Amino acid sequence: MNLLGKRYFFFTLSLLVILPGLIVLATSGLPLSIDFTGGSLLEVTFVGTTPQPADVITLYEDANIKDAKVQTTDSGTLVIRSEFLDNEKRDTVLTSMNAAFGETTIQRFDSVGPSIGEQVTSRAAMAVGVSSLLVVIFIAWSFRGIKGAYRYGISAILAMLHDVALIFSVTALGSIFLGWEIDSLFLTGLLTVIGFSMQDSIVVFDRIRENSSALRRLDYETLVNHSIVQTLQRSINTQLMTVEFLLLALAFFGGVTLRQFVVVLLVGLMSGTYSSIFIAAPVLVVWEKQEWKTWFKKKATV
Amino acid sequence: MIKRQNTRLVVIVIVIAFALWIDLNDTLLISNPFNGSVIYSRDVSPQLGLDLRGGLQVLLEADLPEDVDVSAESMEVARSVIENRTNALGVAENVVQIAGDRRIVGEFPGLKDTEGVINTIQQTGLLEFVDVGDTPMAAGTIIQTDYGLSPSAAETTPAEGEEAPIVYHTVMAGAALEDVGVTQDTLGQFQIAFALNSEGSDVFAEHTIANSGKFLAIVLDKEVISAPRINEPITGGSGVISGQFDYESANALTVQLRYGSLPVPLKIVESRIIGPTLGEDSLQRSLKAGLIGIIIVVLFMAIYYRLPGITADISILFYAAIAFAVFKGIGVTLTLPGIAGFMLSTGSALDANILVFERLKEELRRGRTLKQAFDMAWSRAWSSIRDSNAAVLITSLILFWFGNAFGASIVKGFAITLALGVSISLFSALYITRTLLAVVLDKIKITNFQRWFGI
C-alpha cells in the first residue's frame, strides 16, 4: 500500500476542507463567547407564553442595558446576551420581566466582567502556546537518538496546527448555522485535540524510529510508508472504533450542553489520526528529500 | 511469559477489592472488631459539579487597583470569612477556593435562593473608622473612602462641571479589631464594645488626640453606622459603637465583625447560575451515553481481538472501577467535561491495549512462538505508549494550571480526570491485561491462533 505517493493530493484535500471555514473566520471574526469578551448571558423560561425577542430587547433598553441580543432555543428558552450585569441590574431585569411577561425562571445566568474576559483570552493563548512548546521539546528529546530529531517535533506541530485549523474552521461554520461560540469549553476541547494529535503522530514516529535501525537499507520514503502501514490498523481501531464510538454515543445521546464540545472532539480527534498519517509523516519525507526545491519547476512531482 | 504470576494476581485482587470497597460505599468505615469503636471513618460520597446539579458559581476579585499587592494571607482570611458566612446560611457543600493571586471562587451547588448568598457575600463586612472632619453624619449615609487606594489615585482632580465626590480618609480598618461584644449602656441601649490590637490602639490614640472635637464615622461597607464626636482622646485601645441597635442587629453586626471583617474588599467579576433541571437532564443523558459507548467498545474488542480482547475488556472494567474509586477517594468533583475526560482516558486505555495486540498479531504472523510474540508485543509497544501518554499528560497539566488560575472548575475537572485516567490506564494495560493474558495462556494450550487471536 503506497500512502505516501499521493501526499500532495492529501495536502490539497486538507487545504480544501480547512479553507472555507477560515475564510468565514477572516470575514466575520472569531465567534468569541462572553468567557473571553466579557458580558452576560441570561437563559430564562416562562410559565406563560414566551415573549417576542423584540419586547425583551425593549425591556433591556428601558433598563439602560446595552448590546442586548435575544435568541430562542429548541427547548423553548430565551437566551439573552448583553453587556456585563451586576446583581442589581440583573434583579432589575428580572423584576421587570416578571411584571411584563409573567413568572420567569432562571435556567442559567453567566456574567463575566470585562477585565476577566481579557485575561482569559491572553492566558488561553498562552496555555495553547506553552503546551505545544513543551510537547515539541519532549518529542525532540525523546527522538534524540535519530537523525534530525527536531524535525519530528516540528512535523508533529504542523499536523497539530492542521487539526487546530480544522476545528476552528468547523466551529466557524457552526457559528453561522448553529450559533456556536468559542467558550472555555471549546478551549478544553482544543487542548485535548492537541494532546491526542501528538499522541497519534508519536505512535507513527515511534515506528519510524524503530524501523530506521532495523530497516536501515530502505530509502527514507519507503521506510516511512512501511511504518505508516504497520501502524494503520492500530490507528483505525483506536480512533475510529473506540474513541469515536464513545464520542458518537455522547453526541447522539448526551445532553445538549455538551454537543458542541463533543463535535469539536469528534472532528478534532479524527483529524488527529488523519493528520498523523497524511500530514506529519509526509512532511518528514518532503523535508528529508528537500522537495521544495522542485516545487516551482515544470512538471512538479505531484 | 511473566514470572511471579501469583504475586501479580494477588496484587490485582487487592487493588480491585480496595477499589470496589470505595466504589460501593459512601462512607469508609473501619471499626475495631473487638469493641466496635471507629478507627477510621471518611466520607467519600461522589461530588457532582454545578453543571450536573445546578447551583451558583461566583468569582470574586480583590477590589483594589492593579498595582496594589494582595498578600496571600489576607486572601486566605477573606476566603475563610466567606466560607463561614455562607455556611452559616445553611447552604450545604459549599466550596470556596482561592483562584490565582487575587481571586476567590465560590460554588454553591443545588442552591435555590441565589439572592441570599450573593447578598451575604457582598456584605463585605469591611469596617472602617473614617475621619469626617467637622460634619456630623446621619446613619445610613453612603460615603466614599480612600481605603485601599494608592495615594496618587486619591488625589485625582474631578472633571469640570461635576461636583467632586468627597473621598474621606480612613483612619483604620476592621483588621485592627481584636475583640468585639454586645453591651448595654446605662439606659439599656444595646451597643457594641470593641478592643483594638496594639497597632490599632496606637493609631487610634494618635488620631483622637489630634482631632478632639471632630467627628469619627464608623462605616461598614461604605455605609455610616454611627458618627460620634470625639469627646476625649481614646488611648486605651477600646471603645463602643453606639447606634439604633436592638439586640438582634447588634449581635448580627458583632458576628460579622468578629468573623467577618474582610481584609480586602471584594467585587463580583463573574457569576453563573445553572438551573437544576438543565443539570439533571445533562447528567442522565451523559451517563446513558457513556454506558452505550462502553458497551459498543467492549463488544468490538471481544469480537475483533478475541481472547486478548476479552482480557482487555476485563481490565478496562477494572480500570473503570479503580478510576472511579480514585475520583471518590481524593474528592474529584464530577462535571460533564470531567465525564468526557474520563471517557477519553478510557480511549487511551484501549489504545494502549490495541497497540500491544496489533504488535502481538504482527509477531505471530511473522512465525514467532507465542512466548516470544507475547514478550515482544509489550516491550516493543512500550516506547510508543510511554511517549504518547506523556504528551497527553503534559497537555493536561497545562490545562489544570489554566483552570486553576481562573477558577474555571469545569476546565480543571476535565484536566484532573484526564490526567488521572491516563495514569491509571497505563497500569491497566501494562499490568492487569498483561498478567491476565499470561495466566490464561499458561492454563490453556493454544494451537489455533486463527481462532483465539483473530489473525
Side-chain angles (χ1 to χ4, degrees):
Chain A
M1 206 177 349
N2 186 1
L3 293 169
L4 276 180
K6 294 205 170 62
R7 54 184 172 274
Y8 288 97
F9 166 76
F10 288 112
F11 289 164
T12 319
L13 184 72
S14 285
L15 271 184
L16 287 179
V17 175
I18 292 170
L19 275 180
L22 290 189
I23 291 169
V24 170
L25 275 188
T27 50
S28 58
L30 287 174
L32 292 176
S33 78
I34 58 164
D35 287 345
F36 297 103
T37 58
S40 75
L41 181 153
L42 179 64
E43 185 171 356
V44 285
T45 48
F46 300 91
V47 174
T49 46
T50 307
Q52 289 302 309
D55 298 338
V56 179
I57 292 179
T58 320
L59 189 143
Y60 265 66
E61 278 165 359
D62 290 346
N64 211 4
I65 298 165
K66 290 185 214 111
D67 307 330
K69 289 188 205 77
V70 181
Q71 220 184 355
T72 46
T73 64
D74 299 340
S75 42
T77 61
L78 275 190
V79 175
I80 310 154
R81 292 187 172 79
S82 66
E83 62 172 339
F84 176 68
L85 296 182
D86 54 23
N87 287 293
E88 279 170 36
K89 278 194 173 170
R90 193 201 64 197
D91 291 347
T92 319
V93 167
L94 278 178
T95 322
S96 41
M97 273 210 229
N98 272 323
F101 313 123
E103 204 187 320
T104 316
T105 318
I106 303 181
Q107 290 298 327
R108 186 153 84 100
F109 174 72
D110 295 348
S111 200
V112 181
S115 63
I116 285 285
E118 235 166 69
Q119 282 188 32
V120 170
T121 316
S122 63
R123 283 282 185 102
M126 214 160 97
V128 174
V130 169
S131 57
S132 338
L133 191 69
L134 284 180
V135 173
V136 173
I137 294 172
F138 172 73
I139 294 178
W141 173 78
S142 182
F143 283 70
R144 64 196 176 283
I146 60 173
K147 186 186 152 214
Y150 66 96
R151 286 184 199 169
Y152 290 85
I154 292 170
S155 302
I157 290 297
L158 284 177
M160 175 210 93
L161 287 178
H162 166 275
D163 307 332
V164 169
L166 185 66
I167 58 175
F168 267 101
S169 171
V170 168
T171 309
L173 295 177
S175 77
I176 292 179
F177 299 112
L178 302 164
W180 285 3
E181 287 190 321
I182 293 182
D183 52 12
S184 53
L185 206 52
F186 172 86
L187 194 76
T188 312
L190 181 74
L191 283 156
T192 317
V193 168
I194 291 175
F196 280 84
S197 167
M198 303 286 184
Q199 191 171 28
D200 281 328
S201 299
I202 289 172
V203 168
V204 175
F205 290 171
D206 175 70
R207 204 54 184 255
I208 299 175
R209 172 170 62 184
E210 187 189 324
N211 285 342
S212 53
S213 53
L215 309 169
R216 214 173 302 119
R217 268 171 293 154
L218 290 177
D219 76 289
Y220 196 67
E221 183 171 346
T222 322
L223 181 131
V224 171
N225 192 60
H226 194 62
S227 308
I228 296 176
V229 173
Q230 281 179 323
T231 51
L232 196 59
Q233 193 64 53
R234 168 267 162 192
S235 300
I236 293 172
N237 283 357
T238 299
Q239 285 302 322
L240 305 186
M241 298 300 164
T242 55
V243 175
E244 301 284 323
F245 271 153
L246 289 171
L247 287 173
L248 272 178
L250 267 182
F252 281 120
F253 306 108
V256 189
T257 24
L258 217 55
R259 188 153 297 156
Q260 184 196 338
F261 177 65
V262 172
V263 172
V264 163
L265 283 182
L266 204 60
V267 173
L269 295 183
M270 205 180 289
S271 165
T273 307
Y274 170 87
S275 69
S276 70
I277 299 169
F278 295 109
I279 304 286
V283 164
L284 285 178
V285 175
V286 170
W287 200 325
E288 171 76 21
K289 295 168 91 177
Q290 308 204 331
E291 286 179 10
W292 54 85
K293 288 180 177 163
T294 58
W295 278 354
F296 302 106
K297 289 177 186 166
K298 270 190 207 168
K299 293 273 168 198
T301 51
V302 177
Chain B
M1 300 215 194
I2 51 174
K3 291 169 194 156
R4 295 200 299 270
Q5 285 182 6
N6 290 335
T7 325
R8 281 170 158 252
L9 278 179
V10 170
V11 169
I12 293 173
V13 168
I14 291 174
V15 170
I16 298 301
F18 191 65
L20 286 176
W21 178 51
I22 299 178
D23 284 338
L24 301 175
N25 293 296
D26 278 350
T27 318
L28 298 184
L29 193 74
I30 302 174
S31 54
N32 189 328
F34 299 106
N35 57 16
S37 66
V38 175
I39 299 171
Y40 177 83
S41 169
R42 188 157 157 237
D43 179 33
V44 288
S45 47
Q47 297 170 4
L48 297 182
L50 288 182
D51 55 346
L52 293 177
R53 55 195 296 198
L56 166 76
Q57 187 193 46
V58 188
L59 188 62
L60 302 155
E61 193 177 64
D63 194 7
L64 294 170
E66 287 283 321
D67 51 340
V68 177
D69 274 337
V70 184
S71 73
E73 297 103 275
S74 49
M75 286 304 282
E76 175 52 36
V77 173
R79 190 202 66 78
S80 61
V81 166
I82 292 175
E83 193 167 44
N84 287 338
R85 277 197 210 160
T86 48
N87 281 342
L89 283 179
V91 185
E93 296 177 64
N94 298 336
V95 183
V96 183
Q97 287 172 319
I98 291 181
D101 296 334
R102 44 200 299 143
R103 294 194 195 98
I104 292 174
V105 61
E107 299 195 339
F108 310 100
L111 190 67
K112 296 249 157 50
D113 171 32
T114 52
E115 294 304 300
V117 170
I118 289 180
N119 288 338
T120 312
I121 295 172
Q122 275 193 318
Q123 286 166 2
T124 43
L126 179 66
L127 184 79
E128 295 168 78
F129 294 88
V130 179
D131 179 11
V132 291
D134 297 321
T135 35
M137 216 167 258
T141 318
I142 308 285
I143 61 167
Q144 284 195 32
T145 64
D146 63 355
Y147 180 71
L149 295 176
S150 51
S152 60
E155 290 165 17
T156 46
T157 44
E160 239 177 284
E162 268 176 53
E163 198 181 330
I166 305 166
V167 179
Y168 293 100
H169 174 62
T170 303
V171 177
M172 189 168 71
L177 285 181
E178 198 167 66
D179 192 26
V180 280
V182 180
T183 57
Q184 276 171 299
D185 66 9
T186 45
L187 299 172
Q189 178 70 39
F190 288 101
Q191 55 187 18
I192 295 158
F194 62 86
L196 299 164
N197 60 22
S198 62
E199 199 187 326
S201 309
D202 293 346
V203 174
F204 208 59
E206 201 179 301
H207 181 82
T208 47
I209 291 167
N211 294 282
S212 185
K214 294 189 175 174
F215 290 92
L216 182 72
I218 294 163
V219 178
L220 185 71
D221 292 348
K222 313 294 178 199
E223 186 182 330
V224 175
I225 296 174
S226 67
R229 184 194 291 267
I230 304 169
N231 292 323
E232 57 204 52
I234 302 171
T235 50
S238 61
V240 290
I241 304 171
S242 54
Q244 298 301 314
F245 297 121
D246 53 13
Y247 178 74
E248 272 73 36
S249 62
N251 190 47
L253 186 57
T254 309
V255 168
Q256 197 166 32
L257 291 179
R258 189 180 293 148
Y259 301 108
S261 45
L262 287 175
V264 276
L266 295 169
K267 64 175 175 192
I268 295 183
V269 286
E270 191 185 299
S271 58
R272 295 169 191 276
I273 299 171
I274 299 124
T277 48
L278 205 65
E280 197 172 316
D281 184 53
S282 295
L283 177 62
Q284 293 305 328
R285 283 164 169 272
S286 303
L287 285 181
K288 202 174 87 185
L291 202 62
I292 295 171
I294 293 205
I295 290 173
I296 298 175
V297 170
V298 163
L299 285 178
F300 167 77
M301 291 295 285
I303 293 167
Y304 193 87
Y305 289 108
R306 313 284 170 93
L307 180 64
I310 292 167
T311 54
D313 281 343
I314 295 171
S315 88
I316 287 294
L317 294 180
F318 284 0
Y319 154 78
I322 297 172
F324 190 53
V326 170
F327 295 161
K328 281 177 81 176
I330 65 172
V332 174
T333 306
L334 286 180
T335 56
L336 276 183
I339 294 176
F342 175 65
M343 288 179 85
L344 281 177
S345 62
T346 312
S348 244
L350 286 162
D351 184 43
N353 280 305
I354 287 172
L355 274 167
V356 171
F357 297 159
E358 285 301 330
R359 200 62 199 230
L360 182 65
K361 284 162 81 167
E362 218 178 301
E363 301 299 337
L364 283 175
R365 272 194 220 107
R366 283 191 190 149
R368 307 220 198 263
T369 66
L370 188 57
K371 186 183 176 319
Q372 282 173 329
F374 183 92
D375 290 339
M376 271 181 133
W378 261 279
S379 65
R380 288 269 171 87
W382 165 237
S383 63
S384 56
I385 294 174
R386 177 198 62 203
D387 288 359
S388 58
N389 282 297
V392 174
L393 280 178
I394 289 174
T395 325
S396 50
L397 284 181
I398 300 291
L399 265 177
F400 181 83
W401 163 77
F402 172 81
N404 202 27
F406 285 90
S409 53
I410 283 180
V411 177
K412 211 164 104 179
F414 178 80
I416 294 176
T417 47
L418 185 61
L420 286 177
V422 164
S423 313
I424 300 167
S425 80
L426 286 181
F427 173 72
S428 126
L430 299 175
Y431 199 89
I432 303 182
T433 311
R434 191 169 176 203
T435 308
L436 291 182
L437 192 57
V439 170
V440 172
L441 290 179
D442 257 7
K443 296 282 175 281
I444 42 175
K445 294 285 166 250
I446 291 170
T447 45
N448 189 343
F449 290 160
Q450 170 88 41
R451 181 185 296 163
W452 291 94
F453 290 90
I455 293 171

